[in-house]
Amino acid sequence: MNPDDCPPCRAVFGALVERQMADPETPLVTEEIGRLVGLKKRATQVHLAHLFAHGHIDADRRTPLHGMSQPILFGAQEWAASVVAPDPTCAKCLIALAGIGWEGQIHQKDLAELVGIGLRTVQTHRAHLVAADLVSFRPTTVREGTRNRGKLPDRFTLLSATTAPPLEGAALEAVPAVAAGIVDRIRWFVGVSDEERTNAIQSVAWVLRNGWPEEAILRALDASENRHAYRPGGYLSKLLSKLPRQYIVPARQMVTQRTEPRRLDCAVCDTPFKTTMPGHVLCGGAICLRPDEAVIPPSATIYQLA
C-alpha cells in the first residue's frame, strides 16, 4: 500500500513534521511517536520502515522529506491575508508581521520599511491592530542587574480576535484546585500567611474562570523568576490587575491547534520538556513518561490521618 493511502503512515509522518517544526534538535523516540498517534512500538516501527522504503523520511527514520501528500498547512501569511483588518494599511502591517511568523521580534522602524510607510504611520496602525485584538506587542529591555541598559526589538504575537469562553461544567468545578496549583508554582510567592495564600488562590481562580489558561497566567506572573517580593500578596495582585479581563486566543492556536514552542516542567515527575500542545500538558502529552520519579508515585497508597 502507498503511504499516502495509509492513515497510520500519514499520522506518523505528521508527528515527525510537527516535531521538526517545533524542536528539530530533539527527535522523537519510537515510543513517543506511538503515543502521539495511538500505535504500539512494533506497529510504529513498521510504519516508519514503510515511510522510509517509499522515500518519505530519511535514513535516520526521523527526518521527514518532501513528497508525501499532506493537507496544506494554513500559514501565518495566508491567515493574515484572510483577516478583515481595520483598514488597508493595517492589513499591510499585519501581513508583514505574519511574514516573520506567528510570533517574533521587530523594531517599529523595520516594520515601517517592510510596509513602505513612515514611522509615525506605523505607530498609528500598530495601535489600531492592538485595539482590534489582532496583535499584541511586548517591549523587551536589556537588563544588567536591576538597571535597564537599552531596548531590544518588540516581541509580537498574532492574535485571533476571539476571546476564550468562560469555563463551564467540570472545568469550572476544578478551578479552586487548579488555582492552588498555580500559586504553588510561583517561585517568588513564599513567606506568606495562610490568609494571603487563600486570597491569592481566589484572585487566580477569578482569572481562570474567565478563560485564561494556566501557562498564560504563570507567564504573566513571572512564576519562574526567583526574585524577592517585598509584599508577595500585593505584588501578585498588581500583576493580575494588568491582565485584560478576557483572554484573546493566539492566532497560531486558533488556526493550527498548536501553541508556540514552550518549555514546561512536568507536573508529575518535574522533568523539563518542550511542547506545542495547548492546555495542561505532561511530559508525554496526556500522560507522564516517568511516573516512578514522582514525589508521590501514582501507585502509592495514601493514608489519611485522623
Side-chain angles (χ1 to χ4, degrees):
M1 178 188 292
N2 190 313
D4 288 330
D5 301 322
C6 177
C9 279
R10 294 177 64 86
V12 169
F13 187 83
L16 295 177
V17 170
E18 284 194 6
R19 173 50 67 95
Q20 187 181 52
M21 294 173 61
D23 188 8
E25 297 181 358
T26 310
L28 290 165
V29 298
T30 304
E31 289 86 350
E32 290 176 316
I33 299 172
R35 276 189 291 269
L36 289 172
V37 301
L39 295 174
K40 293 185 178 180
K41 181 177 180 179
R42 178 57 183 161
T44 303
Q45 291 172 332
V46 169
H47 290 289
L48 286 170
H50 197 193
L51 289 168
F52 172 65
H54 285 76
H56 293 308
I57 60 176
D58 207 348
D60 61 4
R61 309 293 176 96
R62 294 297 180 272
T63 304
L65 303 174
H66 295 293
M68 188 170 190
S69 58
Q70 287 285 311
I72 297 175
L73 295 178
F74 200 48
Q77 280 196 303
E78 288 80 3
W79 167 82
S82 70
V83 169
V84 179
D87 57 66
T89 306
C90 281
K92 292 179 181 178
C93 293
L94 187 64
I95 292 172
L97 291 171
I100 299 171
W102 297 106
E103 303 88 17
Q105 282 185 273
I106 190 170
H107 277 296
Q108 291 191 60
K109 63 179 181 180
D110 295 332
L111 179 58
E113 292 177 3
L114 280 175
V115 182
I117 56 180
L119 181 58
R120 293 288 296 273
T121 306
V122 159
Q123 293 171 341
T124 298
H125 290 283
R126 263 186 37 146
H128 292 170
L129 289 170
V130 170
D133 291 330
L134 291 173
V135 187
S136 67
F137 290 95
R138 303 184 300 281
T140 55
T141 56
V142 179
R143 296 185 66 86
E144 185 178 301
T146 58
R147 296 186 178 184
N148 293 337
R149 293 297 186 183
K151 285 189 175 183
L152 295 172
D154 289 346
R155 294 185 179 276
F156 71 86
T157 301
L158 302 182
L159 302 177
S160 66
T162 301
T163 56
L167 299 185
E168 297 178 349
L172 184 60
E173 294 176 2
V175 161
V178 175
I182 290 175
V183 170
D184 290 339
R185 291 170 64 186
I186 303 173
R187 294 185 181 179
W188 51 261
F189 195 74
V190 293
V192 297
S193 65
D194 291 341
E195 182 180 0
E196 287 177 314
R197 185 176 183 276
T198 299
N199 291 338
I201 292 173
Q202 291 175 347
S203 298
V204 172
W206 185 85
V207 178
L208 278 169
R209 292 189 188 98
N210 286 334
W212 278 79
E214 294 179 51
E215 294 307 322
I217 296 173
L218 288 167
R219 188 163 55 248
L221 295 176
D222 292 331
S224 62
E225 297 291 334
N226 286 316
R227 61 162 56 102
H228 174 73
Y230 175 65
R231 293 178 56 248
Y235 185 50
L236 182 140
S237 297
K238 179 180 179 181
L239 293 177
L240 289 178
S241 67
K242 294 180 179 180
L243 296 178
R245 179 182 178 85
Q246 293 180 303
Y247 177 73
I248 307 300
V249 181
R252 178 204 288 263
Q253 183 175 336
M254 178 64 68
V255 174
T256 68
Q257 300 303 308
R258 293 287 176 176
T259 67
E260 62 178 302
R262 55 200 175 114
R263 184 175 292 277
L264 304 176
D265 292 331
C266 180
V268 176
C269 64
D270 205 33
T271 301
F273 66 100
K274 285 185 178 180
T275 183
T276 61
M277 297 175 63
H280 183 68
V281 186
L282 301 177
C283 57
I287 62 172
C288 174
L289 300 178
R290 306 167 185 83
D292 294 339
E293 297 182 16
V295 177
I296 301 178
S299 58
T301 302
I302 306 298
Y303 297 94
Q304 298 290 339
L305 298 179

